[in-house]
Amino acid sequence: MVSNLDSGIDVPEDGSNGSKRETRQDKERREEDVRFPHSLASMPRNSGPGVFTSILAKLARERRWWDVDAVFAEMSARNIKPNRIHLNAAINVFAKARRPQKAEEWLIWMQDNDLKPNEVSYNSVINACAQTGYVERAEMWLGRMLEAGVQANEVSYNSVINACAQKGRVSRAEMWLEKMLAAGVKTDAFSYNSVINACAQRRDIERAETWLEKMLSEGIQADEVSYSSVIKACVQKGELDLAGYWLERMAAAGLQANEVTYNTVAGACLAAGDKDRLERWRRLMRLEENTVLKDPPLLKPSRPSSCTTKSLADVDQDILSDALPKRAEETRRRRPAAESRKKDDGGAVRKHRPTQGSVDRSNTWMWARLLVMLVVLQLILAVWSDYAVQSAKS
Protein backbone atom coordinates (compact mmCIF):
# COMPACT_ATOMS: atom_id res chain seq x y z
CA MET A 1 0.00 0.00 0.00
CA VAL A 2 2.68 2.45 1.06
CA SER A 3 6.34 1.94 0.23
CA ASN A 4 8.49 0.56 3.00
CA LEU A 5 10.37 3.04 5.15
CA ASP A 6 13.98 3.38 4.07
CA SER A 7 15.12 6.32 6.19
CA GLY A 8 14.55 8.11 9.44
CA ILE A 9 16.01 5.53 11.85
CA ASP A 10 18.53 7.34 14.01
CA VAL A 11 21.59 5.08 13.98
CA PRO A 12 25.26 6.13 14.05
CA GLU A 13 26.98 6.13 10.69
CA ASP A 14 29.69 3.60 9.88
CA GLY A 15 32.91 4.63 11.52
CA SER A 16 31.28 7.19 13.81
CA ASN A 17 31.86 7.17 17.52
CA GLY A 18 28.32 6.49 18.76
CA SER A 19 27.79 6.08 22.47
CA LYS A 20 27.27 2.63 23.99
CA ARG A 21 23.73 3.51 24.99
CA GLU A 22 22.81 4.54 21.43
CA THR A 23 24.37 1.41 19.98
CA ARG A 24 22.48 -0.80 22.40
CA GLN A 25 19.19 0.93 21.60
CA ASP A 26 19.77 0.60 17.87
CA LYS A 27 20.60 -3.09 18.28
CA GLU A 28 17.42 -3.66 20.27
CA ARG A 29 15.42 -1.84 17.61
CA ARG A 30 16.87 -3.98 14.81
CA GLU A 31 16.14 -7.14 16.76
CA GLU A 32 12.59 -5.97 17.36
CA ASP A 33 12.21 -5.19 13.65
CA VAL A 34 13.09 -8.82 12.92
CA ARG A 35 10.85 -10.30 15.62
CA PHE A 36 7.80 -8.10 14.98
CA PRO A 37 6.83 -9.50 11.52
CA HIS A 38 7.27 -13.06 12.86
CA SER A 39 5.03 -12.27 15.82
CA LEU A 40 2.38 -10.91 13.43
CA ALA A 41 2.60 -14.01 11.24
CA SER A 42 2.25 -16.27 14.28
CA MET A 43 -1.11 -14.77 15.29
CA PRO A 44 -4.19 -17.00 14.89
CA ARG A 45 -5.56 -17.12 11.37
CA ASN A 46 -9.00 -16.04 12.56
CA SER A 47 -7.68 -12.69 13.89
CA GLY A 48 -10.09 -10.03 12.71
CA PRO A 49 -9.65 -6.34 11.80
CA GLY A 50 -10.10 -5.27 15.41
CA VAL A 51 -6.89 -7.07 16.42
CA PHE A 52 -4.86 -5.03 13.98
CA THR A 53 -6.50 -1.83 15.21
CA SER A 54 -5.32 -2.71 18.73
CA ILE A 55 -1.81 -3.40 17.42
CA LEU A 56 -1.69 0.01 15.73
CA ALA A 57 -2.88 1.68 18.92
CA LYS A 58 -0.03 -0.01 20.79
CA LEU A 59 2.46 1.20 18.20
CA ALA A 60 1.15 4.75 18.71
CA ARG A 61 1.68 4.53 22.48
CA GLU A 62 5.23 3.23 21.96
CA ARG A 63 6.02 5.66 19.09
CA ARG A 64 7.06 2.68 16.90
CA TRP A 65 6.22 4.27 13.57
CA TRP A 66 8.65 2.03 11.64
CA ASP A 67 6.46 -1.07 12.23
CA VAL A 68 3.31 0.33 10.59
CA ASP A 69 4.12 -1.10 7.15
CA ALA A 70 4.57 -4.57 8.65
CA VAL A 71 1.05 -4.44 10.11
CA PHE A 72 -0.54 -3.57 6.78
CA ALA A 73 1.60 -6.14 4.97
CA GLU A 74 0.26 -8.83 7.30
CA MET A 75 -3.29 -7.57 6.77
CA SER A 76 -2.79 -7.85 3.01
CA ALA A 77 -1.44 -11.39 3.41
CA ARG A 78 -4.60 -12.33 5.31
CA ASN A 79 -6.88 -10.64 2.73
CA ILE A 80 -8.10 -8.10 5.30
CA LYS A 81 -9.03 -4.86 3.60
CA PRO A 82 -8.03 -1.82 5.68
CA ASN A 83 -10.79 0.59 6.50
CA ARG A 84 -10.83 4.19 7.67
CA ILE A 85 -10.33 3.15 11.29
CA HIS A 86 -7.09 1.36 10.44
CA LEU A 87 -5.81 4.29 8.38
CA ASN A 88 -6.68 6.81 11.09
CA ALA A 89 -4.81 4.62 13.57
CA ALA A 90 -1.79 4.55 11.27
CA ILE A 91 -1.85 8.34 10.87
CA ASN A 92 -2.06 8.65 14.64
CA VAL A 93 1.09 6.53 15.00
CA PHE A 94 3.05 8.96 12.83
CA ALA A 95 1.48 11.96 14.56
CA LYS A 96 2.46 10.67 18.00
CA ALA A 97 5.98 9.98 16.76
CA ARG A 98 6.13 13.50 15.26
CA ARG A 99 6.57 12.34 11.70
CA PRO A 100 4.29 14.79 9.87
CA GLN A 101 5.52 13.89 6.37
CA LYS A 102 4.51 10.25 6.83
CA ALA A 103 1.17 11.27 8.31
CA GLU A 104 0.55 13.42 5.24
CA GLU A 105 1.44 10.53 2.90
CA TRP A 106 -1.17 8.27 4.49
CA LEU A 107 -3.83 10.97 4.44
CA ILE A 108 -3.17 11.55 0.73
CA TRP A 109 -3.39 7.77 0.16
CA MET A 110 -6.82 7.81 1.81
CA GLN A 111 -7.99 10.57 -0.54
CA ASP A 112 -6.63 8.77 -3.63
CA ASN A 113 -8.34 5.49 -2.72
CA ASP A 114 -11.82 6.90 -2.07
CA LEU A 115 -11.56 6.51 1.69
CA LYS A 116 -12.94 9.86 2.75
CA PRO A 117 -10.91 11.28 5.65
CA ASN A 118 -12.90 12.53 8.63
CA GLU A 119 -12.10 15.03 11.38
CA VAL A 120 -9.91 12.48 13.16
CA SER A 121 -7.76 12.03 10.06
CA TYR A 122 -7.26 15.75 9.50
CA ASN A 123 -6.78 16.58 13.18
CA SER A 124 -3.97 14.05 13.51
CA VAL A 125 -2.10 15.54 10.55
CA ILE A 126 -2.76 19.13 11.66
CA ASN A 127 -1.54 18.38 15.16
CA ALA A 128 1.58 16.58 13.85
CA CYS A 129 2.50 19.59 11.69
CA ALA A 130 1.75 22.07 14.47
CA GLN A 131 3.75 20.18 17.08
CA THR A 132 6.83 20.04 14.85
CA GLY A 133 6.70 23.72 13.84
CA TYR A 134 5.34 23.30 10.30
CA VAL A 135 2.85 26.13 10.76
CA GLU A 136 2.17 26.72 7.06
CA ARG A 137 1.34 23.05 6.49
CA ALA A 138 -0.91 22.95 9.53
CA GLU A 139 -2.81 25.94 8.14
CA MET A 140 -2.91 24.30 4.70
CA TRP A 141 -4.46 21.10 6.03
CA LEU A 142 -7.04 23.01 8.06
CA GLY A 143 -7.95 24.90 4.88
CA ARG A 144 -8.23 21.63 2.92
CA MET A 145 -10.33 20.19 5.72
CA LEU A 146 -12.79 23.06 5.41
CA GLU A 147 -12.77 22.87 1.59
CA ALA A 148 -13.58 19.14 1.75
CA GLY A 149 -16.67 19.93 3.80
CA VAL A 150 -15.38 18.25 6.95
CA GLN A 151 -16.53 20.04 10.09
CA ALA A 152 -13.54 21.36 12.01
CA ASN A 153 -13.80 21.27 15.80
CA GLU A 154 -12.00 23.04 18.63
CA VAL A 155 -9.03 20.66 18.36
CA SER A 156 -8.51 21.63 14.72
CA TYR A 157 -8.57 25.38 15.34
CA ASN A 158 -6.70 25.34 18.65
CA SER A 159 -3.77 23.42 17.13
CA VAL A 160 -3.35 25.99 14.37
CA ILE A 161 -3.94 29.01 16.63
CA ASN A 162 -1.39 27.83 19.16
CA ALA A 163 1.17 27.01 16.43
CA CYS A 164 0.83 30.50 14.91
CA ALA A 165 1.03 32.14 18.35
CA GLN A 166 4.19 30.25 19.31
CA LYS A 167 5.86 31.38 16.09
CA GLY A 168 4.92 35.00 16.84
CA ARG A 169 2.44 35.23 13.94
CA VAL A 170 -0.14 37.15 15.90
CA SER A 171 -2.22 38.27 12.92
CA ARG A 172 -2.58 34.68 11.66
CA ALA A 173 -3.54 33.45 15.13
CA GLU A 174 -6.14 36.20 15.42
CA MET A 175 -7.50 35.37 11.96
CA TRP A 176 -8.05 31.71 12.82
CA LEU A 177 -9.65 32.62 16.15
CA GLU A 178 -12.04 34.93 14.34
CA LYS A 179 -12.84 32.16 11.84
CA MET A 180 -13.42 29.82 14.74
CA LEU A 181 -15.90 32.27 16.27
CA ALA A 182 -17.60 32.90 12.92
CA ALA A 183 -18.03 29.16 12.34
CA GLY A 184 -19.76 28.79 15.71
CA VAL A 185 -17.16 26.38 17.04
CA LYS A 186 -17.01 26.29 20.81
CA THR A 187 -14.03 28.18 22.14
CA ASP A 188 -12.28 27.68 25.47
CA ALA A 189 -9.62 29.37 27.58
CA PHE A 190 -6.85 27.72 25.56
CA SER A 191 -8.14 29.33 22.35
CA TYR A 192 -7.95 32.84 23.78
CA ASN A 193 -4.84 32.35 25.93
CA SER A 194 -2.73 31.51 22.90
CA VAL A 195 -3.65 34.81 21.23
CA ILE A 196 -3.46 36.85 24.45
CA ASN A 197 -0.01 35.51 25.27
CA ALA A 198 1.22 36.14 21.71
CA CYS A 199 0.09 39.78 21.92
CA ALA A 200 1.63 40.13 25.38
CA GLN A 201 4.94 38.72 24.14
CA ARG A 202 5.07 41.58 21.66
CA ARG A 203 4.07 43.99 24.45
CA ASP A 204 0.93 44.93 22.54
CA ILE A 205 -1.18 45.71 25.59
CA GLU A 206 -4.23 47.01 23.75
CA ARG A 207 -4.64 43.87 21.63
CA ALA A 208 -4.07 41.61 24.61
CA GLU A 209 -6.69 43.54 26.63
CA THR A 210 -9.13 43.42 23.73
CA TRP A 211 -8.99 39.64 23.51
CA LEU A 212 -9.20 39.23 27.28
CA GLU A 213 -12.26 41.48 27.40
CA LYS A 214 -13.84 39.54 24.52
CA MET A 215 -13.09 36.30 26.30
CA LEU A 216 -14.89 37.50 29.42
CA SER A 217 -17.81 38.91 27.42
CA GLU A 218 -18.29 35.49 25.78
CA GLY A 219 -18.79 33.98 29.22
CA ILE A 220 -15.53 32.02 29.16
CA GLN A 221 -13.83 31.79 32.54
CA ALA A 222 -10.38 33.33 32.34
CA ASP A 223 -7.62 31.55 34.25
CA GLU A 224 -4.31 32.61 35.78
CA VAL A 225 -2.56 32.47 32.41
CA SER A 226 -5.06 34.89 30.87
CA TYR A 227 -4.56 37.62 33.46
CA SER A 228 -0.87 36.98 34.05
CA SER A 229 -0.01 37.50 30.38
CA VAL A 230 -1.65 40.94 30.35
CA ILE A 231 -0.18 41.92 33.72
CA LYS A 232 3.32 40.95 32.63
CA ALA A 233 3.02 42.98 29.43
CA CYS A 234 1.86 46.03 31.41
CA VAL A 235 4.76 45.74 33.83
CA GLN A 236 7.31 45.34 31.05
CA LYS A 237 6.09 48.54 29.41
CA GLY A 238 6.05 50.41 32.73
CA GLU A 239 2.25 50.66 32.93
CA LEU A 240 2.06 49.89 36.65
CA ASP A 241 -1.35 51.48 37.17
CA LEU A 242 -2.81 49.37 34.38
CA ALA A 243 -1.10 46.27 35.78
CA GLY A 244 -2.70 47.02 39.16
CA TYR A 245 -6.11 47.28 37.52
CA TRP A 246 -5.86 43.82 35.96
CA LEU A 247 -4.34 42.42 39.12
CA GLU A 248 -7.37 43.56 41.08
CA ARG A 249 -9.74 42.08 38.53
CA MET A 250 -7.79 38.84 38.77
CA ALA A 251 -8.14 38.84 42.55
CA ALA A 252 -11.86 39.67 42.28
CA ALA A 253 -12.26 36.56 40.10
CA GLY A 254 -10.76 34.47 42.90
CA LEU A 255 -7.56 33.68 41.00
CA GLN A 256 -4.18 33.68 42.72
CA ALA A 257 -1.09 34.88 40.86
CA ASN A 258 1.63 32.35 40.18
CA GLU A 259 5.24 32.74 41.21
CA VAL A 260 6.38 34.21 37.89
CA THR A 261 3.77 36.97 38.00
CA TYR A 262 4.54 37.69 41.64
CA ASN A 263 8.26 38.08 40.95
CA THR A 264 7.63 40.27 37.90
CA VAL A 265 5.33 42.62 39.78
CA ALA A 266 7.52 42.74 42.88
CA GLY A 267 10.59 43.52 40.79
CA ALA A 268 8.83 46.42 39.07
CA CYS A 269 7.69 47.91 42.38
CA LEU A 270 11.16 47.60 43.91
CA ALA A 271 12.72 49.22 40.86
CA ALA A 272 10.27 52.14 41.16
CA GLY A 273 10.83 52.38 44.92
CA ASP A 274 7.07 52.10 45.53
CA LYS A 275 6.77 50.08 48.72
CA ASP A 276 3.09 50.97 49.29
CA ARG A 277 2.12 49.62 45.89
CA LEU A 278 4.18 46.50 46.49
CA GLU A 279 2.42 45.77 49.79
CA ARG A 280 -1.03 46.27 48.28
CA TRP A 281 -0.26 44.05 45.33
CA ARG A 282 1.21 41.42 47.60
CA ARG A 283 -2.10 41.20 49.48
CA LEU A 284 -4.03 41.05 46.21
CA MET A 285 -1.89 38.29 44.73
CA ARG A 286 -2.21 36.23 47.92
CA LEU A 287 -5.99 36.75 47.99
CA GLU A 288 -6.07 38.07 51.53
CA GLU A 289 -9.75 38.38 52.35
CA ASN A 290 -9.74 41.86 53.85
CA THR A 291 -8.11 43.34 50.75
CA VAL A 292 -10.20 41.60 48.11
CA LEU A 293 -13.55 42.24 49.79
CA LYS A 294 -13.17 45.64 51.47
CA ASP A 295 -11.05 47.65 49.07
CA PRO A 296 -13.06 49.50 46.41
CA PRO A 297 -12.51 48.31 42.83
CA LEU A 298 -10.06 50.23 40.71
CA LEU A 299 -11.14 52.26 37.70
CA LYS A 300 -9.25 51.46 34.55
CA PRO A 301 -6.46 54.06 34.30
CA SER A 302 -5.81 56.11 31.21
CA ARG A 303 -2.71 55.39 29.21
CA PRO A 304 0.07 56.21 29.69
CA SER A 305 0.00 55.76 33.43
CA SER A 306 1.12 58.55 35.73
CA CYS A 307 3.88 56.32 37.04
CA THR A 308 5.59 56.37 33.64
CA THR A 309 6.01 60.17 33.49
CA LYS A 310 9.36 59.83 35.26
CA SER A 311 12.25 58.57 33.25
CA LEU A 312 14.31 55.63 34.44
CA ALA A 313 17.18 57.99 35.17
CA ASP A 314 14.95 60.03 37.50
CA VAL A 315 13.80 56.91 39.30
CA ASP A 316 17.39 55.76 39.78
CA GLN A 317 18.29 59.24 41.05
CA ASP A 318 15.54 59.09 43.68
CA ILE A 319 16.47 55.62 44.86
CA LEU A 320 20.22 56.26 45.01
CA SER A 321 20.11 59.86 46.27
CA ASP A 322 21.49 58.95 49.69
CA ALA A 323 24.50 57.18 48.24
CA LEU A 324 25.37 59.69 45.53
CA PRO A 325 27.33 62.23 47.68
CA LYS A 326 29.40 59.46 49.22
CA ARG A 327 30.20 57.92 45.85
CA ALA A 328 31.20 61.30 44.41
CA GLU A 329 33.54 61.93 47.33
CA GLU A 330 35.14 58.51 46.91
CA THR A 331 35.60 59.16 43.20
CA ARG A 332 37.39 62.43 43.87
CA ARG A 333 39.59 60.82 46.50
CA ARG A 334 40.61 58.00 44.17
CA ARG A 335 41.33 60.24 41.18
CA PRO A 336 44.96 59.87 40.08
CA ALA A 337 47.27 62.67 41.03
CA ALA A 338 48.56 62.98 37.48
CA GLU A 339 45.10 63.99 36.17
CA SER A 340 44.63 66.65 38.85
CA ARG A 341 47.85 68.54 37.98
CA LYS A 342 47.14 71.24 35.41
CA LYS A 343 49.35 73.43 33.37
CA ASP A 344 49.49 77.02 34.56
CA ASP A 345 48.68 78.59 31.22
CA GLY A 346 45.95 76.44 29.66
CA GLY A 347 44.64 74.36 32.52
CA ALA A 348 44.80 71.17 30.43
CA VAL A 349 45.69 67.87 31.91
CA ARG A 350 49.39 67.14 31.60
CA LYS A 351 50.02 64.38 29.12
CA HIS A 352 52.03 61.38 30.16
CA ARG A 353 55.49 61.19 28.65
CA PRO A 354 57.66 58.10 28.71
CA THR A 355 60.65 58.30 31.02
CA GLN A 356 64.22 57.55 30.07
CA GLY A 357 64.15 54.30 32.05
CA SER A 358 61.16 52.96 30.14
CA VAL A 359 62.84 53.77 26.80
CA ASP A 360 66.02 51.98 27.86
CA ARG A 361 64.10 48.90 28.93
CA SER A 362 62.27 48.70 25.61
CA ASN A 363 65.59 48.94 23.71
CA THR A 364 67.10 46.21 25.86
CA TRP A 365 64.27 43.81 25.03
CA MET A 366 64.61 44.59 21.34
CA TRP A 367 68.36 43.73 21.32
CA ALA A 368 67.70 40.57 23.36
CA ARG A 369 65.17 39.30 20.83
CA LEU A 370 67.55 40.06 17.98
CA LEU A 371 70.35 38.12 19.67
CA VAL A 372 68.10 35.07 20.16
CA MET A 373 67.14 35.13 16.50
CA LEU A 374 70.82 35.18 15.47
CA VAL A 375 71.63 32.20 17.68
CA VAL A 376 68.75 30.20 16.23
CA LEU A 377 69.87 31.06 12.71
CA GLN A 378 73.42 29.86 13.43
CA LEU A 379 72.08 26.55 14.75
CA ILE A 380 70.03 26.03 11.62
CA LEU A 381 73.03 26.74 9.39
CA ALA A 382 75.19 24.31 11.39
CA VAL A 383 72.66 21.51 11.08
CA TRP A 384 72.27 22.15 7.36
CA SER A 385 76.07 22.07 6.85
CA ASP A 386 76.38 18.71 8.63
CA TYR A 387 73.60 17.30 6.50
CA ALA A 388 75.30 18.53 3.28
CA VAL A 389 78.64 16.94 4.29
CA GLN A 390 77.02 13.61 5.07
CA SER A 391 75.18 13.66 1.75
CA ALA A 392 78.40 14.35 -0.17
CA LYS A 393 80.22 11.43 1.51
CA SER A 394 77.41 8.99 0.71
Side-chain angles (χ1 to χ4, degrees):
M1 182 177 61
V2 179
S3 59
N4 292 331
L5 302 174
D6 54 359
S7 63
I9 299 179
D10 301 328
V11 295
E13 298 179 356
D14 295 337
S16 61
N17 295 326
S19 62
K20 294 182 179 180
R21 182 178 180 182
E22 293 176 346
T23 304
R24 184 167 56 253
Q25 289 178 347
D26 295 333
K27 183 179 179 180
E28 292 176 355
R29 175 181 292 185
R30 288 192 294 270
E31 292 176 353
E32 181 63 26
D33 291 342
V34 174
R35 290 195 302 266
F36 185 72
H38 293 290
S39 62
L40 291 176
S42 62
M43 292 193 311
R45 300 303 301 176
N46 59 351
S47 298
V51 176
F52 291 95
T53 303
S54 301
I55 294 174
L56 290 170
K58 182 181 179 182
L59 295 181
R61 290 192 299 269
E62 298 176 357
R63 311 292 195 270
R64 290 168 52 190
W65 57 271
W66 56 87
D67 284 331
V68 172
D69 283 348
V71 175
F72 283 88
E74 184 63 26
M75 291 177 65
S76 177
R78 295 170 182 256
N79 294 324
I80 298 177
K81 185 178 181 180
N83 53 30
R84 189 164 58 184
I85 297 176
H86 295 118
L87 296 172
N88 284 344
I91 294 174
N92 185 51
V93 175
F94 296 114
K96 293 289 186 181
R98 297 196 173 190
R99 298 281 173 169
Q101 293 86 351
K102 283 294 182 181
E104 289 176 329
E105 289 179 8
W106 284 72
L107 180 56
I108 294 173
W109 190 91
M110 290 181 67
Q111 295 173 337
D112 294 341
N113 288 270
D114 296 329
L115 290 173
K116 186 177 180 181
N118 57 7
E119 66 275 5
V120 177
S121 314
Y122 283 104
N123 285 346
S124 297
V125 175
I126 292 171
N127 186 61
C129 294
Q131 290 291 331
T132 51
Y134 293 98
V135 183
E136 295 85 357
R137 303 198 68 81
E139 292 184 88
M140 180 197 71
W141 283 111
L142 179 53
R144 290 189 181 183
M145 180 181 184
L146 299 175
E147 292 175 359
V150 180
Q151 181 64 41
N153 54 20
E154 62 272 14
V155 177
S156 315
Y157 284 102
N158 284 345
S159 298
V160 174
I161 292 171
N162 185 56
C164 293
Q166 288 184 348
K167 289 291 185 178
R169 302 175 184 179
V170 182
S171 299
R172 303 293 297 177
E174 290 177 326
M175 182 200 72
W176 285 110
L177 181 54
E178 290 172 353
K179 286 188 175 184
M180 185 179 183
L181 294 171
V185 180
K186 183 180 178 181
T187 55
D188 53 13
F190 184 80
S191 310
Y192 285 94
N193 285 347
S194 299
V195 177
I196 292 172
N197 185 61
C199 296
Q201 290 290 336
R202 297 177 61 177
R203 299 186 181 181
D204 193 339
I205 301 176
E206 293 182 357
R207 292 169 78 176
E209 286 181 320
T210 300
W211 285 109
L212 181 54
E213 293 282 11
K214 186 173 182 60
M215 176 183 181
L216 297 173
S217 65
E218 294 289 336
I220 299 175
Q221 181 66 40
D223 56 13
E224 295 87 351
V225 178
S226 313
Y227 288 101
S228 297
S229 299
V230 177
I231 293 171
K232 184 178 179 181
C234 294
V235 170
Q236 289 176 343
K237 290 198 70 172
E239 298 285 348
L240 298 187
D241 292 340
L242 195 58
Y245 166 77
W246 286 108
L247 188 60
E248 182 149 332
R249 290 192 61 174
M250 180 180 180
L255 299 174
Q256 187 172 4
N258 54 28
E259 184 178 354
V260 176
T261 305
Y262 182 87
N263 292 336
T264 302
V265 169
C269 292
L270 291 175
D274 195 341
K275 296 182 179 180
D276 295 336
R277 189 193 299 268
L278 175 60
E279 180 60 25
R280 172 179 171 77
W281 284 6
R282 184 188 65 80
R283 295 197 303 268
L284 282 173
M285 287 185 288
R286 293 184 178 180
L287 297 181
E288 295 184 3
E289 184 177 358
N290 57 348
T291 303
V292 176
L293 296 180
K294 294 182 180 180
D295 288 351
L298 288 174
L299 297 177
K300 188 173 182 178
S302 59
R303 301 182 68 241
S305 302
S306 58
C307 62
T308 60
T309 55
K310 282 188 175 183
S311 64
L312 293 178
D314 295 335
V315 174
D316 293 339
Q317 182 71 22
D318 294 339
I319 296 175
L320 304 176
S321 58
D322 296 336
L324 287 178
K326 183 179 179 181
R327 292 183 180 179
E329 182 180 356
E330 292 179 356
T331 303
R332 287 194 299 270
R333 187 167 57 250
R334 295 176 182 176
R335 184 176 300 171
E339 295 183 2
S340 63
R341 292 194 297 268
K342 308 278 178 102
K343 288 185 177 180
D344 296 337
D345 50 352
V349 179
R350 186 179 300 174
K351 294 184 178 180
H352 174 72
R353 295 180 180 178
T355 62
Q356 184 66 27
S358 62
V359 175
D360 294 341
R361 285 193 297 270
S362 61
N363 292 333
T364 302
W365 281 109
M366 180 183 68
W367 287 108
R369 288 195 295 268
L370 183 59
L371 180 61
V372 171
M373 293 175 61
L374 291 175
V375 172
V376 172
L377 182 60
Q378 289 179 355
L379 291 175
I380 294 174
L381 291 175
V383 172
W384 181 80
S385 300
D386 291 342
Y387 177 76
V389 171
Q390 294 293 333
S391 300
K393 291 180 178 181
S394 59

